[in-house]
Amino acid sequence: ATALFNFLFMEWIDNVIFILLLGAGVFWFARNAARIRANINMGRQVDINDHLAERWKLMLKVAIGQSKMVVRPVAGIMHIVVYLGFVIINIEVLEIILDGILGTHRIFAFMGSFYYFLIASFEYLALAVIVACVVFLVRRNVMKLKRFMNRELDGWPRSDANIILITEILLMSAFLLMNAADGVIMSYSKLTGGMLMPEFAEAANKIFGEDAAVGTGLYFPVSTYLTGFLPSNPIALHYIERGCWWFHIIGIIAFLNYIPYSKHFHILLAFPTVFYANLKPKGQFNNLESVTNEVKLMLDPSAPLPAADAPPAKFGAKDVPDLSWKQLMDAYSCTECGRCTSKCPANQTGKLLSPRKIMMDTRDRMEELGKGRLAQGTEFNDNKSLVGDYITAEELWACTTCNACTEACPINIDPLSIIVDLRRYLVMEQSAAPASLNGMFTNIENNGAPWQFSPADRLNWKNEN
C-alpha cells in the first residue's frame, strides 16, 4: 500500500509540474506573439482583401506546397523534409501533451495498427530530419556557401541558425532514444511475465495486448537499432525513457518560446505573408495618394481640397511607422536564407546592397522602436530612423528595381517595396537624390523628357537623316 501510494503521489506531482510548465510556456509565447503583433501594427494600415480565391491558391502552392523552395533542389528537398517533420510529428507532440496532463502512457495506442504505422512513420521522418539538419550545418559551417557568409549574418544571426539546427537534432534524437528505451522496457515486461515493474507491464499489456510479438522492431523501426547502446538495468531504462520524454517536451516548449526571438518565426508568419503578397505585375509601383491628389488639383481646380486641419502628407518612408503593416510582417517573416541577395545583380557586382540586410535592418529597427514604445508610450523618440541609422542611401540607390529579390524569395517577401518607399522619402522629403537623377528630374520638369533637349528640338535627328 505504501509503494502504491508513493507511485501514485509521484505520478500526481509529475502531472502538476507538467501542467504548470505547459501553461507557463503557452502564456509566455502568447505574450511574445502579442508583442510582435503590436510591432507589426505600428505600420500604416492598408486593405489587402482583393482576389481572395487567387490568394488562397497562391498560399496553397507557395507556403504549403513549397513550390519556390525546390528551385534549388538540394536545399528545397531537405527543407521539405524538415517542414514535414515539424508538421507531422506534432501529432506525436499532442500525444505527449495529453499523456503529461492525464498521466497516461501512449494514449493514442488504442488506434491499433494505425498507431503503429504512425509511430513507424514518425521514426523514419525523425531520422530524415536529423540527416537534413546535419547537411544544413555542414553547408553553413564547413562548406561555407557564399550566401551564408555575408557580413549581415556575422554574430547572432549565424549563431541563431546553428542553434535551431542543433536543437532540432537533439529533439529528434531524444524522441528516438525515448522510443528505444520504452520498447525495451515493454519487451522486458513481456519476457518476465510483468514482474519487472508492474506499472510498465500494465502499460505494455494495454498498448500491445497479451499476444504481441516480443521485441521493438515491429513498432519502432529506427530506434530498435539504438537498443544495443542501452543498459540492461530496468531502473536505468526507466530513467532514460522518462528523461528523454521530459527533455523532448521541455525542448519543444523552449523552442516555442525561442522562435519569436529568432528568424524561425517564419514557421507561423510564412502563411499570411504569402496570402497577402503583392499580386500586381512585377515592376508596377503604387502611386502615392498624396501626389495623386496634387495632380488632380492641378488638372482640375474644382477637385475637392484636403481638409484644412489634416496633417501634411508624408512622402515615402523614413522610419518603420511609415511602412505598411504588410511590409513589417515581411520583415518578421524573413528566413535570412539569402536567396534574394544571391540573385541581386547589384550585390553580385560588389555594391553595398543586400536585400536580406534590408529586411533584417527593418526588423531590428522595429524591435528597437517597439521596446521603446512599450516602455515609454507611443510618443517615444530616440532620434533615430530606419533611413540613415540602419540603411544607408548608398544601399538604396544601388538597387536597379529589377525584382530579382522578390522573385527569388521562397515566401514572396518584397524587399523592393521597402527600398522604393525609402527612396521616395529621400527624393521627395530630403531632396537627396543622386546628381544624375536630379539632372533627369530637371530635364523632365523643363523639357517634358529625361534628355537635355527642348521639345522643339526633339525630332532634329529625323531632319538630319
Side-chain angles (χ1 to χ4, degrees), residues 123 126-127 130 172-181 222-223 226:
E123 291 218 344
L127 178 61
I130 292 173
M172 295 301 104
S173 299
F175 167 66
L176 293 175
L177 189 58
M178 176 189 74
N179 280 353
V222 176
S223 59
L226 300 177

Side-chain angles (χ1 to χ4, degrees), residues 60-71:
L60 289 172
K61 177 184 176 182
V62 175
I64 297 178
Q66 304 276 293
S67 62
K68 295 183 73 173
M69 284 298 305
V70 294
V71 172

Side-chain angles (χ1 to χ4, degrees), residues 76-239:
I77 292 172
M78 289 191 299
H79 186 274
I80 289 174
V81 168
V82 177
Y83 166 71
L84 289 176
F86 175 80
V87 173
I88 296 176
I89 293 181
N90 276 337
I91 301 173
E92 176 263 341
V93 174
L94 176 61
E95 182 183 50
I96 289 180
I97 290 174
L98 291 176
D99 282 343
I101 294 174
L102 302 175
T104 54
H105 185 69
R106 296 189 179 272
I107 192 173
F108 291 153
F110 69 88
M111 294 185 289
S113 299
F114 181 64
Y115 179 75
Y116 309 148
F117 167 77
L118 286 178
I119 291 297
S121 301
F122 295 161
E123 291 218 344
Y124 286 124
L125 197 54
L127 178 61
V129 169
I130 292 173
V131 171
C133 289
V134 169
V135 173
F136 280 138
L137 283 170
V138 170
R139 283 160 58 89
R140 285 178 172 271
N141 301 287
V142 179
M143 297 173 61
K144 296 186 177 179
L145 298 185
K146 183 180 178 181
R147 63 191 171 104
F148 298 131
M149 294 295 107
N150 291 47
R151 63 180 179 275
E152 65 260 23
L153 294 182
D154 291 344
W156 167 248
R158 186 168 288 113
S159 299
D160 176 35
N162 289 329
I163 288 171
I164 288 292
L165 293 172
I166 292 170
T167 299
E168 290 180 353
I169 291 172
L170 292 175
L171 290 177
M172 295 301 104
S173 299
F175 167 66
L176 293 175
L177 189 58
M178 176 189 74
N179 280 353
D182 199 22
V184 172
I185 288 171
M186 290 185 289
S187 296
Y188 278 168
S189 298
K190 181 68 178 177
L191 288 170
T192 58
M195 297 301 294
L196 183 64
M197 296 182 73
E199 61 271 28
F200 283 115
E202 181 180 357
N205 290 334
K206 283 183 179 180
I207 295 170
F208 299 107
E210 293 289 343
D211 299 322
V214 176
T216 63
L218 180 60
Y219 309 112
F220 306 122
V222 176
S223 59
T224 187
Y225 292 100
L226 300 177
T227 56
F229 301 97
L230 296 175
S232 58
N233 185 302
I235 303 298
L237 283 173
H238 169 65
Y239 283 121

Side-chain angles (χ1 to χ4, degrees), residues 282-453:
K282 295 291 188 293
Q284 179 178 340
F285 297 141
N286 295 323
N287 291 323
L288 289 178
E289 184 179 357
S290 53
V291 175
T292 302
N293 291 336
E294 290 292 329
V295 173
K296 287 180 179 178
L297 286 172
M298 292 172 62
L299 297 177
D300 181 11
S302 64
L305 295 172
D309 58 347
K314 285 187 176 181
F315 300 111
K318 177 184 179 182
D319 209 350
V320 290
D322 302 323
L323 298 170
S324 72
W325 64 263
K326 173 59 171 64
Q327 291 169 317
L328 300 187
M329 185 170 70
D330 281 356
Y332 271 120
S333 303
C334 178
T335 68
E336 300 174 11
C337 66
R339 293 191 182 198
C340 55
T341 295
S342 68
K343 289 293 185 180
C344 175
N347 187 271
Q348 290 175 6
T349 57
K351 292 183 172 62
L352 197 59
L353 174 65
S354 168
R356 171 173 56 190
K357 179 180 176 294
I358 297 293
M359 305 312 299
M360 294 172 66
D361 286 342
T362 302
R363 182 176 60 215
D364 290 345
R365 173 56 182 163
M366 185 169 29
E367 283 281 314
E368 181 181 51
L369 193 59
K371 289 178 182 177
R373 288 191 172 193
L374 187 63
Q376 301 182 28
T378 56
E379 300 303 318
F380 169 76
N381 182 11
D382 57 359
N383 295 314
K384 296 169 68 176
S385 64
L386 184 59
V387 178
D389 293 297
Y390 282 81
I391 301 172
T392 64
E394 182 182 354
E395 294 173 78
L396 297 175
W397 291 116
C399 177
T400 66
T401 66
C402 68
N403 268 292
C405 55
T406 304
E407 187 65 30
C409 180
I411 55 174
N412 288 0
I413 289 173
D414 188 7
L416 179 58
S417 68
I418 296 178
I419 292 172
V420 168
D421 280 348
L422 298 180
R423 276 182 172 182
R424 281 172 167 167
Y425 167 78
L426 290 176
V427 173
M428 304 183 75
E429 294 273 358
Q430 299 293 304
S431 298
S436 57
L437 287 182
N438 281 329
M440 182 190 70
F441 294 153
T442 300
N443 291 334
I444 291 175
E445 182 179 2
N446 295 332
N447 304 323
W451 304 282
Q452 197 172 2
F453 303 104

